[in-house]
Amino acid sequence: KAGVTQTPRYLIKTRGQQVTLSCSPISGHRSVSWYQQTPGQGLQFLFEYFSETQRNKGNFPGRFSGRQFSNSRSEMNVSTLELGDSALYLCASSLAGASGGTTDTQYFGPGTRLTVL
Amino acid sequence: SQKIEQNSEALNIQEGKTATLTCNYTNYSPAYLQWYRQDPGRGPVFLLLIRENEKEKRKERLKVTFDTTLKQSLFHITASQPADSATYLCALDHQAGTALIFGKGTTLSVSS
């Protein structure tokens, strides 16, 4: 079974620009969660989508948004990029997700390394 | 405030020894706790899950304990090998129906 894929793997943008990252979950998984990982803050939860609906959201500004398509693929968008948005962005898929009140294992993709100059 | 802390950023041990990593949390009441391994440039990989009513869980050379009174989980790797060198993350569910909250991780280095 193919794992979680994320594109692109690396991205360099300048302040003020916007960026869209893509995540394809494992086949059959309906939950996709996004995380931001930085050396200082560690892994921080951005949001989770399940069956095209945002089910849970972390404590990030509205510049961070996402969506999920009917095939469970998900995108996240960051508008008006700031230097502090430089990070590794990880997506994870699972059958029902932690927000489903289950103990579903989350399968992470390799991440997209975003650098904002 | 709510916190999840892993005992140290880095842990260095010799091959063959047991590595013990600590995860402490405050102001959470998790139903379960998970441990993940992350290698440089890769996403975390799930290792073990332990529920609040379980005291201990084992998988091959890995052992996890969960003490809800102390609000602590210990993660042990016995007979450690250089291939065990990685960052280990603990994660818990904030409350039923929400997402996983991760600690910042402990980077384990096993020298031969």
Side-chain angles (χ1 to χ4, degrees):
Chain A
K1 197 184 298 200
V4 177
T5 57
Q6 291 186 247
T7 56
R9 291 293 312 277
Y10 302 92
L11 209 47
I12 299 175
K13 292 285 188 180
T14 56
R15 276 181 300 174
Q17 287 187 307
Q18 77 164 22
V19 67
T20 298
L21 312 180
S22 180
C23 172
S24 292
I26 290 171
S27 176
H29 285 190
R30 294 167 66 188
S31 167
V32 173
S33 297
W34 288 90
Y35 295 84
Q36 180 195 69
Q37 187 174 35
T38 58
Q41 299 299 318
L43 257 171
Q44 292 189 284
F45 173 74
L46 281 157
F47 29 66
E48 184 211 359
Y49 286 86
F50 183 84
S51 293
E52 301 179 66
T53 300
Q54 187 181 87
R55 190 158 63 176
N56 206 355
K57 190 176 190 307
N59 191 25
F60 277 82
R63 301 185 296 108
F64 292 82
S65 63
R67 59 178 176 168
Q68 187 180 34
F69 302 96
S70 58
N71 62 358
S72 292
R73 190 177 71 84
S74 177
E75 288 181 347
M76 69 162 279
N77 183 276
V78 188
S79 62
T80 320
L81 284 166
E82 300 177 0
L83 295 179
D85 297 333
S86 294
L88 180 67
Y89 289 88
L90 292 157
C91 86
S93 79
S94 66
L95 285 169
S99 292
T102 70
T103 56
D104 253 1
T105 297
Q106 298 215 20
Y107 296 84
F108 283 84
T112 294
R113 171 74 61 187
L114 172 65
T115 302
V116 182
L117 302 175
Chain B
S1 65
Q2 296 167 321
K3 282 195 298 187
I4 175 170
E5 290 182 327
Q6 297 191 238
N7 58 328
S8 58
E9 287 187 17
L11 181 64
N12 300 304
I13 64 167
Q14 279 196 310
E15 184 175 8
K17 301 290 186 185
T18 296
T20 299
L21 285 65
T22 305
C23 178
N24 295 296
Y25 59 91
T26 54
N27 296 324
Y28 286 113
S29 297
Y32 59 87
L33 192 144
Q34 300 185 17
W35 284 88
Y36 288 77
R37 169 185 171 139
Q38 186 174 23
D39 292 285
R42 297 186 165 222
V45 174
F46 171 79
L47 295 174
L48 280 169
L49 178 150
I50 186 164
R51 300 173 197 277
E52 60 177 338
N53 60 352
E54 297 175 317
K55 287 205 175 337
E56 183 179 298
K57 204 72 157 305
R58 290 175 186 260
K59 178 183 174 184
E60 297 172 353
R61 294 183 296 111
L62 308 180
K63 184 178 87 170
V64 173
T65 62
F66 193 10
D67 188 325
T68 55
T69 302
L70 291 178
K71 295 187 183 295
Q72 181 182 79
S73 175
L74 298 179
F75 177 80
H76 306 273
I77 306 175
T78 57
S80 58
Q81 306 165 359
D84 295 327
S85 298
T87 297
Y88 292 86
L89 303 160
C90 68
L92 52 79
D93 64 313
H94 174 24
Q95 59 191 46
T98 67
L100 286 178
I101 308 298
F102 282 82
K104 292 185 181 178
T106 295
T107 298
L108 173 67
S109 295
V110 181
S111 54
S112 55

